[in-house]
Amino acid sequence: VARAVSDAVRDPDCGDVLVFLPGMGEIRACERALQACGIEREICPLHGSLPADVQDRALLPSTQPKIVLATNVAETSVTIPGVRTVIDTGTARVQRHNPATGLDELRLEPVSRFSLDQRAGRAGRTAPGRCIRLSTPLTDARRPQATDPELHRVDLAGTLLLLRRMDYADARIFPWFEQPLSERLAAAEELLAMLGATTAPFGALTALGARLAELPVHPRVGRLLIDATAAGEARLGASLAALTGERDVRSQQRSLSRENSSASSAVAPAVADVLDRIDLLAIAEREGFHPGLRQRGIEPQAARECAQVRDDLLASVRLFSAGVSNGAPVRTATESHAVDLVPRLLLA
């Protein structure tokens, strides 16, 4: 990407440059690479997690030529005036269900041909423009015509729980715009019954299910939060939920060194690898998410995001618990017995 941008800005008719990248990590890496190239342009990241004022800096006209590094949020949702060059990596992170964890995750994938056309259309909307694709024509020809609908990619348990609250007990007769696969409906219904949210697959909502439906998380994670709160460990539960749902706070280098160390020693593995992440998150908070933490195997930005999600979840738990317990505060005991409690919460 940095080489393509360097070549593009030599053209006097280049205009502003819009680069499509798959995620925040790639945006940060690309920003560092462009700074190392010494390109004298304003570099503006653009993704959904940024504060509004930072997003505005990328979206609003500027007197200085700029390079906007964006995820697919810029594919259809926004028009950036002044963009005359688009550089497309041809990739995106797409949400898909992971059967190994039982949760949805973002996977790096080639975008569809429809998305390629949409991205190319971002160039030259106010003046002649061009699109530079960092992929071969053969690769582009092998892409799917369109990305499959999210209804066919993600776990439906949360959606079915929402339908229960809307008095649609049987999702098989709900008037879907596009009917989900029967096996995906059955799997989600079985999960809700296993979690205790329903009396049986396609059965009635239980009291626990009604509580799960109030929480803004996947039903699996909601069950963890409810059990943690009942055990007096709401903060620990919120930490676990954030750590399992967000980017890993442990750097790849640390992961590799720990794996090599475990393989070469006779030391028994930890009860749960998430305990290591809890410690790293505490260190990152204590040291203000300093960039120097990377040298110690901690991703500071991932830790900051994880801490924010934890605090948001804890606020949701407190609000929900206040509504069902007549204002009694949520007990947040110390994490002294985390070694015993964490595996039970994760299994729940």
Side-chain angles (χ1 to χ4, degrees), residues 62 83 95 107 109 112 131 173 188 202 210 242 257 275 281 316:
S62 173
V83 170
Q95 195 170 39
R107 296 184 186 175
E109 295 183 1
S112 67
C131 176
I173 60 174
F202 300 100
S257 65
L275 293 173
L281 180 60
S316 296

Side-chain angles (χ1 to χ4, degrees), residues 49-289:
S49 300
L50 291 171
D53 59 328
V54 180
Q55 294 189 39
D56 287 344
R57 191 163 64 91
L59 298 173
L60 298 177
S62 173
T63 56
Q64 180 183 359
K66 62 186 177 183
I67 301 166
V68 180
L69 307 177
T71 61
N72 56 2
V73 69
E75 191 173 296
T76 57
S77 305
V78 298
T79 296
I80 305 174
V83 170
R84 297 183 64 180
T85 301
V86 164
I87 296 176
D88 188 2
T89 61
T91 57
R93 281 197 163 77
V94 178
Q95 195 170 39
R96 292 193 184 276
H97 181 64
N98 182 354
T101 63
L103 297 170
D104 296 334
E105 65 182 16
L106 291 172
R107 296 184 186 175
L108 184 65
E109 295 183 1
V111 300
S112 67
R113 279 177 278 174
F114 175 79
S115 290
L116 286 183
D117 292 342
Q118 284 290 113
R119 293 177 173 194
R122 300 293 100 188
R125 295 180 70 83
T126 57
R130 60 176 175 164
C131 176
I132 301 166
R133 289 178 179 161
L134 305 185
S135 52
T136 66
L138 179 60
T139 300
D140 292 345
R142 289 173 172 169
R143 296 175 187 270
Q145 182 64 37
T147 305
D148 47 335
E150 187 171 302
L151 195 68
H152 298 319
R153 291 187 271 113
V154 302
D155 180 47
L156 299 177
T159 303
L160 300 187
L161 200 59
L162 177 63
L163 288 180
R164 290 294 203 297
R165 290 186 62 198
M166 297 165 60
D167 295 328
Y168 283 96
D170 194 338
R172 292 170 294 189
I173 60 174
F174 180 75
W176 300 93
F177 178 75
E178 182 167 345
Q179 186 71 23
L181 299 174
S182 58
E183 55 265 33
R184 297 191 73 84
L185 280 178
E189 286 287 346
E190 289 174 9
L191 174 60
L192 290 177
M194 288 172 60
L195 292 172
T198 58
T199 55
F202 300 100
L205 197 66
T206 64
L208 175 60
R211 295 174 67 192
L212 287 172
E214 295 290 331
L215 294 171
V217 291
H218 188 280
R220 288 186 188 271
V221 180
R223 175 64 193 267
L224 183 156
L225 289 171
I226 288 174
D227 283 26
T229 304
E233 292 282 12
R235 183 180 176 84
L236 175 60
S239 296
L240 290 174
L243 287 165
T244 55
E246 297 301 303
R247 293 188 301 126
D248 198 351
V249 300
R250 189 169 68 173
S251 70
Q252 188 175 8
Q253 285 182 329
R254 181 183 178 94
S255 299
L256 290 173
S257 65
R258 287 291 295 268
E259 287 171 10
N260 293 337
S261 173
S262 298
S264 60
S265 69
V267 178
V271 173
D273 59 359
V274 75
L275 293 173
D276 181 40
R277 269 77 168 184
I278 291 174
D279 292 340
L280 296 181
L281 180 60
I283 293 170
E285 285 191 283
R286 191 164 57 244
E287 302 194 12
F289 308 104

